[in-house]
Amino acid sequence: MERISWHQYFMAQSHLIALRSTCERLMVGATIVRDKRIIAGGYNGSVSGSAHCIEEGCYVIDGHCVRTVHAEMNAILQCAKFGVPTEGAEIYVTHFPCLQCCKSIIQAGIKTVYYAKDYKNHPYAIDLFKEANVEAQYIPLEEQTLNLIGK
């Protein structure tokens, strides 16, 4: 049996994490990696102790659910909470990051973003990544990776 690539391994992890999402509109997962080691994971869900979208519905303002903390932010905040440096790390995300997460990724010192699906890719986010020398690379989750998980 052939081993899956590192990209597929970490992207599969992000898809698995997304299954914990409590947002009904879009399930997103993120995995932060440094030196081929997972240092944090996050999914989009409500603030700890607060009501979840699956319980009370999405709280939408200007087309965005404001009830949730995004997956990327939850992963970055997990690193901050436990004192894990993110400088030079990579992040694997199920969907292209929103503009606010893009800015947080840059500020956290993360140097590469791998995403499996395009999602409202904001032109300014793309420009900011380029300006900050953050590589954004499309890495779709291969169907065979999911098949390996089920065996």
Side-chain angles (χ1 to χ4, degrees):
M1 180 171 104
E2 187 177 324
R3 294 170 68 188
I4 64 173
S5 70
W6 284 112
H7 286 310
Q8 289 302 302
Y9 174 72
F10 296 127
M11 194 58 77
Q13 178 72 27
S14 293
H15 280 79
L16 183 63
I17 290 170
L19 296 175
R20 290 282 306 153
S21 172
T22 60
C23 185
E24 296 176 317
R25 298 178 75 222
L26 185 67
M27 297 172 77
V28 180
T31 304
I32 300 177
V33 174
R34 193 178 52 246
D35 299 325
K36 303 238 183 307
R37 300 288 179 260
I38 296 170
I39 60 173
Y43 55 86
N44 56 328
S46 298
V47 173
S48 296
S50 186
H52 294 281
C53 297
I54 56 175
E55 298 165 348
E56 296 192 11
C58 291
Y59 184 4
V60 179
I61 298 175
D62 296 329
H64 298 282
C65 179
V66 297
R67 187 181 304 281
T68 61
V69 178
H70 289 189
E72 302 92 326
M73 283 303 304
N74 267 325
I76 291 168
L77 291 168
Q78 185 181 74
C79 287
K81 185 175 183 176
F82 295 105
V84 178
T86 53
E87 186 70 36
E90 305 169 317
I91 189 167
Y92 288 79
V93 191
T94 57
H95 297 76
F96 189 86
C98 75
L99 183 54
Q100 296 305 317
C101 287
C102 162
K103 292 188 274 184
S104 296
I105 287 166
I106 292 167
Q107 290 300 97
I110 293 171
K111 290 299 176 194
T112 309
V113 176
Y114 299 106
Y115 63 98
K117 296 175 189 166
D118 288 311
Y119 184 73
K120 301 179 182 180
N121 303 27
H122 197 287
Y124 186 49
I126 294 166
D127 289 345
L128 284 174
F129 279 152
K130 286 179 185 172
E131 186 179 295
N133 293 317
V134 172
E135 181 185 355
Q137 187 177 345
Y138 173 67
I139 303 282
L141 180 65
E142 296 171 4
E143 193 172 319
Q144 75 179 40
T145 302
L146 293 177
N147 289 338
L148 289 173
I149 293 170
K151 288 186 178 180

